[in-house]
Amino acid sequence: MKAWSAACEAISGAVLPGVFGFVRAGAIALSLWLASALAAQAACTWDVAFTFVGQTKTINTNDCELAAPDGTYGSFYDSPTVDIQSGYGLGANDAGISVAEQRSGSNGGNYEFTFNVSNSVLQIKLLTAPPSGSDSFTGYMYTGNPSFRSDTPATINFTYGPTPTLTAVTPASGPTGGGTTVVITGTNLSGATAVTFGGTAAAGYTVNSATQITATAPARSAGFVNVVVTTSGGTATLTGGYTYVAAPTVTSVSPATGPTGGGTTIIITGTGFSAANATGAVKFGTTNATYTINSATQITATAPANSAGTYDITVTTPGGTSATSANDQYTYVSAPTVTSTSPTSGPTGGGTTVTITGTGFSAASGTGAVKFGATTATYTINSNTQITATAPANSAGTYDITVTTPGGTSATSASDQ
């Protein structure tokens, strides 16, 4: 029972001479204590969070109750009618010995209470988790009732959330500008209260189930970051679970021209290529190319077939698609044609000036592009449709005059002879 005798001793310690003096001093001491107790009277509340069944948590009931005048301990009672001088409350017997007692919460949880009288610590063990994840148990504390009754409502609020875990983030990388929709998988994710990427809150998230969350990655600087999910059961961290990737750049392409039929080997130079997929990342305009990623700064690609014209070569990674500029442009050139030559004959020693008419001559190199048979001629490109050449020496016979550009070599016919 609560140490009322000790309280009386404390009061009688102030005894004045004579019976009247004792009564008067005791009354004064008791009145002062009751005034203090009544002034402190207030509702009592504790919050206890469990993360697994069988877990034990503690609260200190002296945080709320004003104990009997000796101030030794405070107890949690089931009823407001309990005489605190005759009992030690929930979790202890009338002799003040700790005894485990089971009680049910308002939402179906089951708990075991054990009280330590010596330090006012109430130990609570979760036996059955509340189905809804939250629960409460209501009782009473003594906070100054003159009749020494437990009179002040007291509530222990329980929450239950098993510890979450994270196993994967898909996709595991995205642009520094954020906006990527990712699927976070794990366990015990229901009721998540926060999702962060490297400490930055997700732009938004939806808890799909206990094992899946869909989140939008926020903007961050390039690099690896931890993905963290917080629930009532704690926090789960996937270390380095998401990588922010800077967008690649294309600074040059070589050669910058080729035939419409494709097949030209192109060296693409830039930055951020290592993060590109092995297929589908390099395009000439909107047409996919085949390629090999040599390093973070170089790709070797084979130009696909395309219509004549100039196209941007782009590289796409999880960091985004390279911005277009004049540096990434590749021009598809149609093969030239030779429609006539004049004159059509000359001496075997060469030296005859020949006017070659056709199309697609502007793309030809300044040397080596014009041949009489297999022999290279000297020439001047007058326009896209005309070349003036000097016939080289050759054996007697008829030869095709051809013009070669990045678009290919002109097809032979009677018109070029």
Side-chain angles (χ1 to χ4, degrees):
M1 60 187 292
K2 286 202 168 185
W4 179 240
S5 60
C8 291
E9 290 174 7
I11 296 172
S12 63
V15 173
L16 298 177
V19 175
F20 176 77
F22 165 71
V23 172
R24 186 165 176 266
I28 293 172
L30 183 58
S31 297
L32 289 173
W33 173 74
L34 286 175
S36 173
L38 289 168
Q41 186 169 353
C44 307
T45 303
W46 294 271
D47 295 319
V48 177
F50 292 104
T51 58
F52 59 91
V53 173
Q55 186 177 21
T56 298
K57 292 295 186 76
T58 61
I59 63 173
N60 193 306
T61 53
N62 265 350
D63 292 343
C64 180
E65 182 188 10
L66 268 173
D70 64 339
T72 53
Y73 58 86
S75 301
F76 188 97
Y77 300 93
D78 286 290
S79 168
T81 63
V82 174
D83 180 351
I84 70 164
Q85 299 178 78
S86 304
Y88 290 86
L90 184 62
N93 63 21
D94 289 346
I97 306 300
S98 298
V99 175
E101 297 184 74
Q102 293 186 20
R103 296 289 189 275
S104 295
S106 60
N107 287 330
N110 194 30
Y111 309 89
E112 181 181 272
F113 296 86
T114 306
F115 184 57
N116 187 327
V117 174
S118 66
N119 59 10
S120 297
V121 171
L122 183 62
Q123 179 178 285
I124 308 167
K125 182 178 182 180
L126 176 63
L127 302 179
T128 305
S132 66
S134 63
D135 205 352
S136 64
F137 182 76
T138 300
Y140 298 86
M141 301 295 291
Y142 173 75
T143 54
N145 188 303
S147 300
F148 293 101
R149 301 283 175 175
S150 52
D151 65 334
T152 300
T155 302
I156 305 174
N157 294 314
F158 300 114
T159 57
Y160 169 72
T163 304
T165 65
L166 298 182
T167 55
V169 176
T170 306
S173 58
T176 55
T180 302
T181 299
V182 301
V183 175
I184 302 171
T185 54
T187 61
N188 304 320
L189 303 180
S190 296
T193 56
V195 177
T196 61
F197 290 67
T200 302
Y205 67 91
T206 300
V207 179
N208 304 320
S209 67
T211 60
Q212 187 183 88
I213 292 174
T214 300
T216 302
R220 277 191 63 88
S221 56
F224 298 97
V225 298
N226 296 338
V227 177
V228 178
V229 174
T230 301
T231 71
S232 60
T235 60
T237 301
L238 190 62
T239 303
Y242 189 77
T243 304
Y244 282 93
V245 182
T249 65
V250 175
T251 55
S252 69
V253 296
S254 181
T257 57
T260 56
T264 304
T265 298
I266 310 295
I267 300 298
I268 304 170
T269 303
T271 62
F273 296 159
S274 295
N277 290 328
T279 59
V282 178
K283 293 181 186 292
F284 285 57
T286 59
T287 306
N288 286 323
T290 57
Y291 55 91
T292 298
I293 301 171
N294 305 322
S295 68
T297 59
Q298 187 183 85
I299 291 174
T300 300
T302 300
N306 239 328
S307 302
T310 300
Y311 299 82
D312 290 297
I313 297 177
T314 57
V315 177
T316 299
T317 71
T321 299
S322 56
T324 58
S325 72
N327 295 328
D328 66 33
Q329 291 180 342
Y330 181 80
T331 302
Y332 282 93
V333 182
S334 297
T337 63
V338 175
T339 56
S340 68
T341 61
S342 179
T344 58
S345 60
T348 56
T352 303
T353 298
V354 179
T355 298
I356 304 168
T357 303
T359 61
F361 296 159
S362 294
S365 297
T367 60
V370 178
K371 294 187 177 184
F372 284 59
T375 305
T376 300
T378 58
Y379 55 90
T380 299
I381 301 171
N382 303 321
S383 68
N384 191 50
T385 59
Q386 187 182 84
I387 292 174
T388 299
T390 301
N394 235 329
S395 302
T398 301
Y399 297 85
D400 290 296
I401 297 176
T402 58
V403 178
T404 299
T405 70
T409 299
S410 56
T412 59
S413 68
S415 300
D416 64 34
Q417 294 177 345

